[in-house]
Every structure is written in structure tokens, then in C-alpha cells.
Amino acid sequence: MTSTRLAPAMLPLADAPTRPRVRFGVAVSATLLTVAFVVAVNATGVLPGPAGVALDNLAQLAAGVAAAAACLVTARGTTGAAHTWRLLIGLGMAGWSGGQLVWTVDQLFGDDYLPGPATAELGYLSLPVFALWALLTVAAATPRRVLGPSWRVRLTAMLDVVIVLGSVIMLSWAPVRALIMAADGLPSAVVAGVAHLLMDVLLGVLLALLLVFRQPPRALWPQLLLLGGGLAALTVADGFYAYLVSMDADRMLALHSAGWILGPALIGLAALARTPAEDEKATPGDLDAVYLLLPLLPVLATGVTIAIRTLVGHPLTWPEVALGWLGLLLVIARQLMTIVDNRALLLSVAEARRRLAHQAAHDPLTGLANRELFGRRLTAAVDAHRDEGRPIALIFVDLDDFKFVNDSFGHAAGDRMLQEIAARLQRCVRRDDMVARLGGDEFAVLLEADPGAPGLVGERILAALREPVQIDGKPVTVAASVGVVAPEPYDIGLTGDALLRRADAAMYAGKRAGKNMMVRYAGTRDGGGDADLPGLLAEALAAEPASSGFAVHYQPIVDLRNGGTVLAVEALARWTHADLGVIGPDVFVAVAERAGLVAALDDFVLDTACRDARALAALHGGEVAVHVNVSGGRLGRPELESAVRDALRRHDLPPERLILEITETSRIADLSAAVSAARRLTEAGVRLALDDFGTGYNTLAQLHALPVTIVKLDASLTTADERSRALIRSVLAICREMGVSVIAEGIEATPQAAALAGLGCPLGQGYLYGAAVPLN
């Protein structure tokens, strides 16, 4: 009967239309039922010979026509490769059906049952031709499984394909040769049968290669499996046909022709299979094992075949020997390529691990060691100093007034400044010394050398950092405060953390003394200028802050329009240590932020200000409001709301007389949580203000998001130059539209106050109206 080369698989990129799918699904389902019916009838021999032949041929013709119609109709509703493969397979099945029609007529009205007319073979052969074209179209539209433009990758893939095809040819040679010998020559019927069988096998191999070496989406697998099933059914039928022709059989086997019905039916089902668009994603990794083993499986099968033939006494022919040696050489070449690829992969993995380890231990901005890596190195150095007496020293560097760079030039310029400073620090030390960025504008240097070197290195660092850095074409200088410490001989239990705290304390001693200087830790806690400031601050706030030198001073906020009537006061923390003396708020507030003590400091000022509110009202002759600073990092945390409610209740202060100023000393971590907390506070009657507006983190975005009623212009914006006036006018216009009051900070002279009032600024604060002083 007929031979058929199957139409192979395509990876549709779009769905078959729903209506054709339903319509032709019924037809294909009927065709599948026909398969069972025809096989059952022919197997039982119920029908006489001519009637059975007619039923068999007509069933094959119906299956071919249904498959061609399914492919051609569904192709109309698709695009791209999905359209092309259905169209090509449909044309192939139409040609196959034409050949089957000629064959059927000849079988029904001719004299010979086999082999059939040669014109039928032309129709049958159109299917493998169009199927091969469709497979190539699918391959071109499907991502390659092995990515990369490397010639080695392409060569490896070509070797795999050649190995598989060569092995299949080797395996096919023996049975094909046996068929030819059994037929005692090469009559046209034998040539046709063998050609059909070989083309089926070739298309099957190409389909397997497509599945393994490409990346078909998971949703397309039903279509591909149906196509593969159709190919397998046709291959079995064509194999039996070739055998019967070679044996000059005068009839077909009862079950043999089922493949020529089932094959087209499965092809039609493949065309009708729906592909969800959302599932059309590549699934690399599903066939990793198959991808690695596929080139070796046919080689293994070939080796087993050769061994069996040798054992049973059938020598190999020269084509088999040539193909065997060629396959062996190709496998060796492929394995050499695999070895090279594996070595490159191992090197790539090692380099990736090295990069990940470096990123985990280094600052991404400057490339310096981060705090974690520096801590490990410092601990190891301290242990070596204690156990072996190796000299070490630690230098702590904190930039002075770095906020000015971010405020004036932007954070991107600040990042460039930090990168330049990191490079200068590295040039000031030896290669074996470690420079780290601990966070923000803080750096540390670990020296493991002569104990006399830290002072010299510290001076080099100060000198290097005093050199201007070019930012946007302008020379900008940012000095630093440097703290230096080396272990003392009696420091038996010294730890790395303790050494770092001492360097930190020495650095802050330099800031208190005027900044831009180096201070060496002298080992004191009770009077030295380099005392452990974080530790002393923690002790003072943990006990009763007022008894440890903390106090709250108040600075008036006045109405600029009527000569300076006091409308409110700002509560400001001050600290006078029993041994260290006066410590500036810029120093201890920064220390509190870094040491996690700012909440205790804020709560002390909040409670004191609420307690003093009545006395302040009596002093200024009215119900003045009290402004209390709150770190922006606390806004949104439940403990802040609890502290505010407790202080108001404890001192019986009306909520509308409390104004919380959100400072810019730390960033608001979670703006959405901060907005929710701010709304709860304002609903309770407490008002909110943005402090130092125009600098730091208090941006227009926060003005828009937070329910603030007051904005405090930073002192850097309230000068008399024209640019500042333009900015002030803009801020005032925005705030008027939003119903927000504006307070100008830093007013020190009457002309400045008059200019601000003339611009429309209603409220002011500064030394002109009084410094911050204690209540009593």
C-alpha cells in the first residue's frame, strides 16, 4: 500500500483557532475510531478480499484528507512559524492523499495487489519533502539549546548532529542491505519501499534533534509528541511494506495498514492541538540528561550491533567499516570539545564565585572592604597582637561637613567624592594595610606595621584629603577628623570592637576641638578629650539624663509681620559632661544616631518640653506651641507614637500645642509606614513640621506625602542673595497653595528679617530673637 514520510514537528507560536479546532476535532476523532474499526474488520476476515481492500484503502484516504484539511484550515488562524509548519504539512498531506487516491483506484480496479502505480509514489514522496521543509522552519524559529556565538559551540552542535545521523545510517545499513538482497536486485517497488523507510527514519531523527538541541516551550510538547507518534506509525507501516515488497508477498498483513490510518490522524491532531500563549516559555534544563546522552546512545547501539554481527560470523562490509571509523573519530573530537568546554565552564564558575565573594565583603561604591570584612581582619590582627606581640594600629576617618556636598551638588556628586577619597586613602598606606568604608562618610584604616607609623599615616591622610576634588568643574574641599589608636601594653583583654570604639572616640575629640585635625587616643575615660563618647552617651541616657548633664534649652519662634511676637519655642537638647565639659549638639546627636541612642535622646527632650509647656506659656504670655525634634528614622515606628501619647497624658498638654519637627539626621526608612503614623498623630491633634527644608532628605516628595502643617527653611537658604530669594519665593508659593506655614531659620540681623518678611515669609527663628536658653 503506501509509504509515508511523516510530517514533523513545528513549534507553533500561536494557538489554533477555537472554532476550526472544534469542527475538525470531530473529524479527527471519527478518523481514530475508523482505525479501530478497519483493523478489527480486516483482522477477523469477515469481509471478502475485495471488500476488505476497499475498506482499508478508503480509510487511509479519509485519514489523509482529514489531516490535510486540519493542517490547512488551522494554518489560516495562525501567524509566523505556527502558520508555516501547518501550511507545509497540510500541503504534504494533500500530496500524500493524492497518491493514496491513485493507489486506491489501482487497488480496486487493477489486476495486481502489489506494488501499485508509480504515479502514486510521487504523491507519497511529497509528504517527506514538505515535512523536511517544515522541520527546518521550526528549527529556525526555535531558540538554540546551547547559547553563545562561539565557533566552538556551533562546532560541537554540528558534531552531535553528524554523530547521530551517521550512527542511524550505520544502524539502517544492515536491514536495508538485507531487503535488497532478499529482493534479488533493485526493482522499482523495492527502491520505493526502502526510500520511504529511510526518509521516515531521517525525519524521526531530525525531530529528535529538534526536541533535544532546541528549547521548545513546554506547552508545545503535546503537538510534538503527536507528530512523533504519527511519524512512528508511518515508519512501522512503511517498514512492513518494504519487507513485503522485498519478499514478493501477494497480500498485506491484517494489522499492517493501521499505521497508514493512524499516522495521518495523529498529524491532524497535532495541527489542532491548542497552545496557551502564556505557557510559551522556554524550559531549559528539562532535557539536560538527554542532551548529554543523545550523541552517545546511537553510537552505543551501533557498537552493540557490530559486536553481535561479529560474534555470529557476519563480517562488516567496507561501507560499514568506513562509517564505524568515521563515527569513532567524530566521538573523539566531540569529547575533546567537551573537555575544553568543561574547563572553560569551571574557570567561569570559579571567577563568578570570586566576584560574589568580593561583592559580599566589599563596599559596592568604593570597592573598599566593608564593615564585616574589616571586622574579621581587625579581630584577627588583635588576636595576633595579643598572642604574638605583632604591632597594630587603627585610624578612624570621618569627613567634616560632608552633608554640604550632597546638599549643594547632589548625591551623585557626593558618591564621586567618596570614590576619590577612597582612592586617596589607599595611596596613603602600604599594600598590606587595609582601608575600609564603614558606612556613609566613615572610613577606617588598619595598620599592621611599626607602632610609630600611625601618626605619620594620619598626617598623610589629612594632607591628602585637604586637596580639593573637582566636582562639576568646581574645586571642592572636604576635610576630615582623624582618630588614631594603638593597643596599650596592659590591654590583655582587648577586642577589635573596643579598639574601634577608642578610635571613634579620638575622632570625635577632634570634631569637638574644631574638626580637620588628628587626635591620638590617650587611654582615658575620665577627663581626656578622646573619651569613649558613645559609651558615655549610653550611660548618660540609660540613667537619668538630667542628672548626667543633659538639659533642654528653648529658642523662640516669632511672627515676622508684627515685630517679633513669640508664637512658639523649639526645644533643643544640650549636654555638659562632668569631665568633658560642653559637648556640641552636632557631635552628640550624630553619635546618638550612629549608636542607636537617638530614641532615648528624643524621648528625653519630648518629655521635658511637655512638662515645661505651662511655664513657657506663662513666660511668653500666651499659649505658645512647643516644637520637639524627632529623628526621621523613627517616624512610622510604634514606640514614637506611644512616647508622644504618654508624654501628653502625663503632663496634661493639649495635643495641638505640640509640634513634632521631623529632622533630616536620618532617612525615613519606610515612607508608607511613616505616612500612616503621621496621619494617626495629626488625627490625635499633634502637628508635624519638616525641619531643615531644602537640604538632606526632606524633599518635596515628603512635603507631598506627609500631612505636615509647617515647613522650616534651612538657614543656608535664608541669606540675602538673589538665588536664595528666588528659592524662598518658590517654596512660599508652594506652601501657600498647600496651606502650610513657613518658618525661616538662621535669622541674625534686622535687614535679613525685613527681607524675608518682604518676600512673604510669616515666621522666623534665629539669634536676632534670642539664642536657645534654659527655662530657668
Side-chain angles (χ1 to χ4, degrees):
M1 304 277 323
T2 171
S3 60
T4 259
R5 288 5 31 188
L6 176 74
M10 177 52 216
L11 313 182
L13 304 179
D15 293 341
T18 302
R19 293 179 63 187
R21 177 174 181 254
V22 174
R23 185 184 310 157
F24 288 94
V26 175
V28 174
S29 298
T31 303
L32 291 175
L33 293 176
T34 302
V35 175
F37 174 76
V38 172
V39 171
V41 170
N42 284 346
T44 59
V46 173
L47 294 178
V53 170
L55 175 64
D56 191 30
N57 281 275
L58 291 174
Q60 295 175 43
L61 180 61
V65 172
C71 292
L72 294 174
V73 173
T74 55
R76 290 162 46 191
T78 57
T79 58
H83 168 80
T84 304
W85 85 264
R86 285 180 169 88
L87 178 62
L88 292 173
I89 297 298
L91 293 175
M93 285 306 307
W96 187 93
S97 300
Q100 179 60 33
L101 177 61
V102 174
W103 182 284
T104 300
V105 172
D106 182 74
Q107 291 290 295
L108 296 179
F109 303 104
D111 296 330
D112 296 328
Y113 188 78
L114 291 175
T119 53
E121 297 297 338
L122 296 177
Y124 293 141
L125 290 175
S126 66
L127 177 58
V129 172
F130 282 106
L132 178 61
W133 189 356
L135 278 177
L136 295 177
T137 302
V138 173
T142 308
R144 287 186 303 163
R145 178 166 185 78
V146 180
L147 301 178
S150 168
W151 64 270
R152 191 168 64 246
V153 172
R154 296 177 183 273
L155 180 58
T156 301
M158 292 177 61
L159 285 175
D160 288 339
V161 173
V162 173
I163 289 171
V164 173
L165 290 177
S167 300
V168 171
I169 293 173
M170 182 71 174
L171 292 172
S172 305
W173 173 254
V176 170
R177 182 169 173 267
L179 289 175
I180 295 174
M181 293 179 65
D184 193 21
L186 289 174
S188 60
V190 173
V191 172
V194 170
H196 289 314
L197 179 61
L198 291 179
M199 295 180 75
D200 282 337
V201 173
L202 175 61
L203 290 174
V205 171
L206 290 179
L207 177 58
L209 292 174
L210 171 66
L211 291 174
V212 175
F213 288 100
R214 298 284 174 159
Q215 297 187 30
R218 187 183 299 275
L220 299 182
W221 278 75
Q223 297 179 13
L224 299 177
L225 293 177
L226 287 170
L227 285 168
L231 174 59
L234 289 170
T235 302
V236 171
D238 287 343
F240 273 112
Y241 172 74
Y243 172 77
L244 292 172
V245 169
S246 67
M247 301 301 294
D248 198 20
D250 60 354
R251 65 184 183 85
M252 307 297 292
L253 299 178
L255 300 179
H256 150 261
S257 60
W260 286 325
I261 304 174
L262 182 61
L266 293 177
I267 293 174
L269 284 175
L272 294 170
R274 186 174 180 82
T275 304
E278 63 272 14
D279 292 336
E280 291 183 5
K281 298 177 181 177
T283 54
D286 290 346
L287 295 176
D288 285 345
V290 180
Y291 172 71
L292 295 174
L293 294 177
L294 180 66
L296 302 179
L297 293 178
V299 174
L300 179 62
T302 302
V304 172
T305 302
I306 292 174
I308 293 174
R309 292 191 60 192
T310 303
L311 290 175
V312 300
H314 293 291
L316 301 178
T317 62
W318 70 264
E320 292 172 328
V321 173
L323 285 173
W325 277 107
L326 178 61
L328 179 61
L329 292 175
L330 290 175
V331 170
I332 294 174
R334 204 259 191 190
Q335 293 306 310
L336 290 176
M337 299 295 293
T338 301
I339 292 173
V340 173
D341 289 340
N342 288 342
R343 181 177 182 276
L345 178 61
L346 290 175
L347 292 175
S348 176
V349 170
E351 175 61 21
R353 288 180 175 177
R354 187 197 65 77
R355 288 198 303 268
L356 288 174
H358 183 273
Q359 292 172 1
H362 290 77
D363 174 53
L365 177 64
T366 62
L368 299 178
N370 61 15
R371 182 181 287 273
E372 181 181 357
L373 176 60
F374 185 79
R376 294 199 302 266
R377 176 77 174 269
L378 177 60
T379 299
V382 171
D383 291 343
H385 168 76
R386 182 182 58 250
D387 299 337
E388 305 172 19
R390 295 183 185 178
I392 61 170
L394 185 61
I395 300 177
F396 197 103
V397 180
D398 187 274
L399 303 183
D400 295 331
D401 303 317
F402 182 70
K403 175 177 174 292
F404 167 79
V405 177
N406 284 331
D407 293 346
S408 302
F409 299 96
H411 288 277
D415 289 345
R416 294 197 299 272
M417 170 75 81
L418 292 174
Q419 291 170 337
E420 174 60 25
I421 288 171
R424 294 185 184 185
L425 290 175
Q426 288 182 302
R427 290 195 294 267
C428 292
V429 300
R430 303 179 313 160
R431 179 177 298 179
D432 294 336
D433 298 325
M434 173 174 278
V435 181
R437 183 187 179 205
L438 303 184
D441 57 353
E442 300 172 351
F443 299 86
V445 180
L446 176 61
L447 305 176
E448 300 181 73
D450 179 20
L456 298 177
V457 175
E459 293 294 342
R460 284 204 300 269
I461 289 174
L462 285 174
L465 298 186
R466 289 186 185 119
E467 293 295 324
V469 177
Q470 293 293 323
I471 296 181
D472 296 337
K474 300 178 181 179
V476 179
T477 301
V478 175
S481 296
V482 176
V484 178
V485 65
E488 300 292 340
Y490 53 81
D491 284 329
I492 300 176
L494 182 66
T495 64
D497 288 340
L499 198 64
L500 188 60
R501 285 198 304 270
R502 293 180 182 181
D504 187 40
M507 180 274 297
Y508 268 108
K511 284 193 179 294
R512 292 197 304 273
K515 304 180 181 179
N516 192 20
M517 65 176 63
M518 181 184 70
V519 174
R520 186 157 186 161
Y521 185 80
T524 60
R525 275 185 54 87
D526 55 356
D530 52 5
D532 184 359
L533 198 57
L536 296 179
L537 183 60
E539 290 178 3
L541 294 174
E544 176 58 41
S547 63
S548 301
F550 275 101
V552 177
H553 292 194
Y554 301 95
Q555 186 174 33
I557 298 172
V558 304
D559 189 338
L560 298 179
R561 296 163 297 188
N562 61 9
T565 301
V566 176
L567 300 180
V569 294
E570 180 179 1
L572 299 168
R574 297 292 184 262
W575 188 23
T576 303
H577 191 268
D579 298 316
L580 303 180
V582 176
I583 302 173
D586 58 330
V587 173
F588 70 75
V589 171
V591 172
E593 288 278 5
R594 290 174 43 216
L597 301 171
V598 72
L601 181 61
D602 286 350
D603 291 349
F604 164 71
V605 177
L606 172 65
D607 187 74
T608 304
C610 290
R611 183 198 65 193
D612 293 345
R614 279 198 180 85
L616 290 168
L619 176 65
H620 294 289
E623 296 295 310
V624 297
V626 180
H627 289 236
V628 176
N629 291 318
V630 174
S631 172
R634 297 187 65 200
L635 190 59
R637 297 180 183 174
E639 60 268 19
L640 174 61
E641 297 178 61
S642 298
V644 171
R645 287 194 298 268
D646 292 345
L648 292 173
R649 183 178 60 253
R650 186 162 45 248
H651 302 291
D652 195 23
L653 179 67
E656 59 272 12
R657 290 185 56 195
L658 177 63
I659 299 172
L660 299 181
E661 292 190 9
I662 310 304
T663 66
E664 55 79 44
T665 53
S666 66
R667 188 188 300 271
I668 294 177
D670 187 342
L671 186 57
S672 61
V675 170
S676 298
R679 287 175 179 167
R680 288 191 294 270
L681 288 169
T682 55
E683 288 170 359
V686 178
R687 289 179 285 171
L688 298 180
L690 286 182
D691 193 18
D692 297 326
F693 188 81
T695 66
Y697 307 118
N698 287 334
T699 62
L700 288 173
Q702 293 185 7
L703 176 61
H704 173 265
L706 296 173
V708 299
T709 58
I710 298 172
V711 159
K712 299 188 74 175
L713 284 176
D714 188 73
S716 63
L717 299 179
T718 59
T719 56
D721 61 273
E722 184 56 38
R723 292 176 63 86
S724 297
R725 286 196 293 270
L727 288 173
I728 292 171
R729 280 193 293 266
S730 299
V731 173
L732 289 171
I734 293 173
C735 290
R736 275 194 300 270
E737 290 292 326
M738 300 179 67
V740 174
S741 298
V742 177
I743 300 174
E745 296 183 298
I747 301 177
E748 299 181 355
T750 300
Q752 182 185 7
L756 289 167
L759 292 173
C761 185
L763 306 174
Q765 177 181 356
Y767 286 119
L768 177 63
Y769 305 105
V773 295
L775 179 60
N776 299 320

